[in-house]
Structure formats: structure tokens, C-alpha cells
Amino acid sequence: MSDPPALFEIKLREGESITGRVYAEGKPLLLPTPAEVAAVMATLQPANRAAIQQAYGKYGLPRRVVAAPLSLGEQKYGVLVLEGLGETAAFTADDVPFVQALAQLLSLALDRRRLEEEAATFRQTRETDRLRAEVMATLSHELRTPLAAIKGYSTALLLDEIEWPDEKRREFLRLIDEECDNLQLMIGEILDSALIDVGQLEMEPEPLRLPRLAREVADEMQHLTERHRFALDFPAAFPIVEADPRRIRQVLRNILDNAIKYSPAGGLVVIRGKVRPADVVISIADQGVGISPEDLIPLFEKYFRVKAPTGYHVPGTGLGLPVSRAIVEAHGGHIWAESKVGEGTTLSFSLPVGKNCGD
Ligand code: ADP
């Protein structure tokens, strides 16, 4: 054939020409003479005829044809068409059973392929449903933990028969307050993650002084822990960046919160600022449990949480780091982690420096 791609232009209707007719009737067709072939091909629409003429080029139209449907039961796959173009041997009625058998073999192969694809789609849907159910179960469990604490402390405070000393009352109220913050944080992460999925996490950048923001967040965190100490290390001239203060605060909070959560023995948390030619890097180093090299790979994936040793559970959604990554990347920056098990983790993120440099 001189231009086979032209065949892809053809859009046959059912019943049109040889293929359309065999497809519609579901029966083999033998056209042993050029005249018979031409008669059936006369039903071609003009555009399809032009495409066929272009495809066959100098060979002209087929002179004899035998065709059989490719189908199995109700399932129609297409038509097998054998054409004689030159003066070569003709097709006879004896050839039809062979072509039919060949078409049946092809149909079986196509049917098997279809069933395999259907089974794969089914398995994939089941796997997606299973993963979704697993995520929902984990998230619900994580949300229930602070809720159970809030319920427990408030029920205790409401007990008529116990007169709690002021100090105890205050402690319970502080714990309720803390667990409410945890709950709020987790719900916020779930919501942000959903917004990221639909591309609707919006940034409102403005000139931002990172050293000041880091100081504020560190002070805020210091109120939550006595075991940890926070230190800041920023060069005196630190560029102002264009960034969304609320969102970058969220990133810092999340990384510092992790630094506390995953350093159960306490320790020093250092927040360092570094200036590079095109961007600034903020890194937060802790002296916590660390992360193994294989867990560092999926660290920023949604819902990923390092499997903690039994008997040691740290609440969380596994969404903090993916949300932080989305925020940093929305600013044109990067986020990464370095860690050594038993020694600690350093989480770093970069933010590009625009025109407003030189504070
Ligand atoms: P969450 O803290 O809610 O589980 P994140 O997305 O913030 O979710 O963190 C994902 C996982 O990464 C955590 O469950 C934890 O296993 C690990 N991780 C994060 N930060 C640290 C850190 N500073 N030290 C050790 N492990 C960490």
C-alpha cells in the first residue's frame, strides 16, 4: 500500500462497504471477482472512498476479498479482511472456513485481552477503595485520640461528686486546650490536603522577614515543651522574601512540631537561616529519633508515617510534610530532609529571593 496511515482517516458506518457489512451482519463474506468487490464498496461515503484510494495508491482497489467477523458471543471486536490486490490466485468458497477459523482465534485472543484489562481495572478500583478505607480508618483513629482526651478531662471536671483542687482544674483545662489545638491542626491538614488535591491552595505573598517569623514560632513552641530548647542562627543581613506569612508560619510550625514530637527525650532544636545567591534556606535540626534512609524516600508522600516501635505512638495524620512541601513548592522553593537514626533529623526548605533583597 502506498499510504497506509490514510486508512486511519476512515470512519465507517455499520453496513458501509465490506468491513461495515460483515461487522453488521456477523457473517463471513466472499467476493471473488472485482465486479462484486466494487459493488459492495459502492456504499462507501465519499470521504472514506478518497482515503481508501489514497491508501491503496498505485495498487488500485482490491480485486477479490474474503472477510470474517471478529466476534465472540455478543462481543464484537472488528472484522478480518483478506484482500487480493493484483492478478494473483483468487479466493474460493474453500478459503472461507480457514479465514473464519483464523478470525475465531483472533477473537479469542482479543477477548482474553479484554477480560484481563477488565480484571485489572476491577483490581485497581478495589485497591483504591481499600486504600481509601485504610486512610479513613487511620485518620479517624488519629482524630479520636485527642477527642477522647478532651471528653475524658471535661467529664472529670463535670463530676458533681468530686471537688477538684484549683491546680488540677487548671491542668485539665490546659490539657483540653492543648488537645483542641491538636485536633484543629489535624483537621486543618486534612482540609489543606484536599485543597492541594484540587489545586486550590492559594498563596498570598507579601514581604516577609523570616528571622522574625522563626523567632515567633520558636517562642510559641517553647511554651509547649520543657524538654526541648530552641536556638536561632540567622546571619545579620537576611534578605526579605516574598511569601505568604500564614502559610510559611504553618510550615515552620509543622516542622518544629515534628522536631518536638519525634525527639521524645528532648534536646536542642536549631533553626538556621542561610543565604545563597538565588534563595535562602531555613533548616531545622533536632536531636531526635532520626529517620532511616529507606523511610526518607517516601517522607513527603501523603499519609506516610514511619512505623514506630510498638508501645510508642505519636499522634499525627501523615499530612504535615506533604502539605508543607506543597506550600514551599507553591512559593518556588524546595523542601528536603537529612537524617541519621538515633542522632537526629534536619528538615530544610528554600525560598527564592526576589527583588526585595538586602534587609
Ligand atoms: P505526622 O507527623 O502527622 O505523622 P508528617 O507528614 O509531618 O506527619 O511526618 C511524616 C512522618 O515523618 C512522621 O510520621 C514521622 O514518622 C516522620 N518525621 C517527620 N519529622 C520527623 C523528625 N523531625 N524526626 C523523625 N521523624 C520525623
Side-chain angles (χ1 to χ4, degrees), residues 189 254 258-259 261-262 286 289-291 299 304-306 316-322 345:
E189 281 173 352
N254 173 47
N258 281 348
K261 280 200 304 193
Y262 303 106
D286 64 49
V289 293
I291 304 165
L299 196 70
F304 175 77
R305 308 198 68 209
V306 176
T317 56
L319 289 172
L321 288 182
T345 302

Side-chain angles (χ1 to χ4, degrees), residues 64-67 80-84 91 98-99 102:
R64 43 199 128 257
V65 171
V66 58
L80 173 67
V81 185
L82 299 185
E83 297 175 338
F91 293 126
F98 170 71
V99 175
L102 196 62

